[in-house]
Amino acid sequence: MSKKVPIKLRSVQETLLLPLWGRAVETRKRKPLLVDTTAMEIIDTIDYDFTTIATNISLITQLAWIARSLHVDRVVREFLERHPRGTIVNIGCGLDTTYERVDNGSLLWYDLDLPDVIALRRQFVTDGERRRHIASSFLDDAWFAEVKVEDSILFIAAGVFYYFEENQMKHFLSRLAGLFPGGEVFFDAASPLGMRTANKVVIQAGGMDQNSFLKWGIQSAYDIQSWDSRIRVVEEFPMFKGMKRRVSFKEKIGTWMSDVLKIMFMVRLVFQK
Ligand SMILES: C[S@@+](CC[C@H](N)C(=O)[O-])C[C@H]1O[C@@H](n2cnc3c(N)ncnc32)[C@H](O)[C@@H]1O
């Protein structure tokens, strides 16, 4: 039997295993809502004990990871319809394979994460003509110069921004607004209640350490507009929007409650020209 790939990730980086596991579990279902065969292969290849995650993570949390991926896929496809040669930067990509699902043959794609994650990722995903990896914190400035924009640009960040302080996010989004007028950002956000809930039922329950706690919660995405006059909210919508028809009765109640309490939601911003 070939040797398994060891996992030596630091706190926040380790959280990438949570949605990765969720996508692998979904893919194995008889009628999956999302298919990510790479996630399945990675889970089978890495040396990590998923027992705590498999035992403690609820069905609703798993569904939230799938809903988020489906929203991201849809928004990227819509963006590519408007900008077939558009650039997409996947911030905090972890071991996600959105590119494989949405590539239109002409986009330009960057998968960005911290150096230890990119080193691990390179064992499963290779660079290509139109797909590059960037090993950097998204909060550093140097990587901006690596990004080429021929048409327009969309930044996606799934399960990333709420690990940072509000001040860090303010500074980052203002920097993007200045550098990429007309650019768009799509990400998931947590309300203050959602943040407390996620720290308990996802981070602690999943066996992650306290350094991976979520730090930034907002009640409404529209609060972000007051940070910088160049930032406009295009839409915010609840995490399980469009999902409720596709799940069991028990899941319907859980997803409905989560949306009513505004636990997690998706946000799309545009930077005014
Ligand atoms: C919960 S995981 C989400 C991974 C991926 N987006 C997904 O949905 O599968 C959070 C990711 O953010 C990354 N991350 C944390 N801090 C970061 C930073 N300062 N710069 C770039 N990525 C970061 C972690 O390494 C990890 O891959």
Side-chain angles (χ1 to χ4, degrees):
M1 206 175 76
S2 61
K3 208 165 163 284
K4 290 212 163 193
V5 177
I7 296 290
K8 290 191 205 87
L9 293 172
R10 302 182 58 186
S11 46
V12 182
Q13 289 93 308
E14 196 170 334
T15 61
L16 69 85
L17 298 168
L18 295 162
L20 176 77
W21 173 85
R23 292 191 296 270
V25 169
E26 184 67 28
T27 304
R28 287 200 179 97
K29 288 183 183 167
R30 204 165 51 84
K31 285 188 185 166
L33 298 170
L34 177 109
V35 173
D36 185 346
T37 45
T38 313
M40 251 168 43
E41 286 157 20
I42 297 174
I43 293 282
D44 290 341
T45 315
I46 58 177
D47 188 10
Y48 189 86
D49 183 359
F50 283 94
T51 315
T52 306
I53 296 179
T55 313
N56 295 344
I57 292 296
S58 73
L59 223 53
I60 301 301
T61 299
Q62 283 181 47
L63 267 178
W65 292 324
I66 303 307
R68 185 173 73 193
S69 290
L70 293 172
H71 294 314
V72 170
D73 288 5
R74 180 182 52 77
V75 165
V76 172
R77 288 191 183 110
E78 280 173 14
F79 170 79
L80 289 172
E81 270 170 34
R82 286 181 278 129
H83 306 286
R85 294 169 65 80
T87 298
I88 290 116
V89 183
N90 186 5
I91 296 174
C93 56
L95 291 171
D96 131 300
T97 51
T98 305
Y99 169 90
E100 275 76 2
R101 292 193 298 276
V102 300
D103 181 26
N104 65 351
S106 57
L107 59 73
L108 196 54
W109 190 279
Y110 297 90
D111 280 315
L112 179 145
D113 209 304
L114 294 165
D116 54 346
V117 173
I118 295 298
L120 172 66
R121 191 178 162 83
R122 282 187 190 282
Q123 303 190 43
F124 304 100
V125 180
T126 46
D127 278 352
E129 268 292 289
R130 295 175 296 101
R131 188 215 209 144
R132 295 269 185 298
H133 282 100
I134 301 178
S136 168
S137 167
F138 75 90
L139 297 172
D140 292 344
D141 280 0
W143 67 270
F144 296 130
E146 287 185 48
V147 173
K148 291 199 181 68
V149 187
E150 287 183 10
D151 192 339
S152 194
I153 189 161
L154 168 68
F155 299 88
I156 54 172
V160 183
F161 288 165
Y162 36 55
Y163 292 108
F164 296 86
E165 302 287 352
E166 183 166 293
N167 270 339
Q168 292 175 295
M169 288 314 305
K170 268 186 193 165
H171 177 77
F172 175 66
L173 290 176
S174 283
R175 189 97 176 86
L176 283 193
L179 288 169
F180 302 100
E184 299 172 39
V185 191
F186 187 59
F187 64 99
D188 55 330
S191 65
L193 172 65
M195 195 177 75
R196 291 193 295 277
T197 309
N199 283 338
K200 207 163 146 198
V201 308
V202 184
I203 304 299
Q204 278 182 324
M208 306 285 127
D209 80 56
Q210 297 204 351
N211 294 323
S212 327
F213 272 179
L214 282 65
K215 298 189 184 112
W216 176 47
I218 38 164
Q219 198 53 43
S220 164
Y222 291 88
D223 295 345
I224 299 174
Q225 289 190 161
S226 65
W227 294 357
D228 189 309
S229 58
R230 296 167 297 185
I231 301 175
R232 278 282 152 269
V233 175
V234 179
E235 59 177 340
E236 69 158 43
F237 57 86
M239 182 59 84
F240 293 109
K241 184 182 174 192
M243 289 283 288
K244 299 182 189 70
R245 270 182 294 117
R246 306 171 71 179
V247 297
S248 70
F249 180 69
K250 200 172 143 202
E251 291 162 353
K252 269 190 184 57
I253 296 176
T255 52
W256 177 80
M257 266 180 62
S258 171
D259 282 354
V260 167
L261 294 171
K262 202 171 182 185
I263 298 290
M264 293 275 163
F265 52 104
M266 303 299 306
V267 180
R268 190 148 67 96
L269 308 176
V270 66
F271 302 126
Q272 290 198 322
K273 288 188 183 172

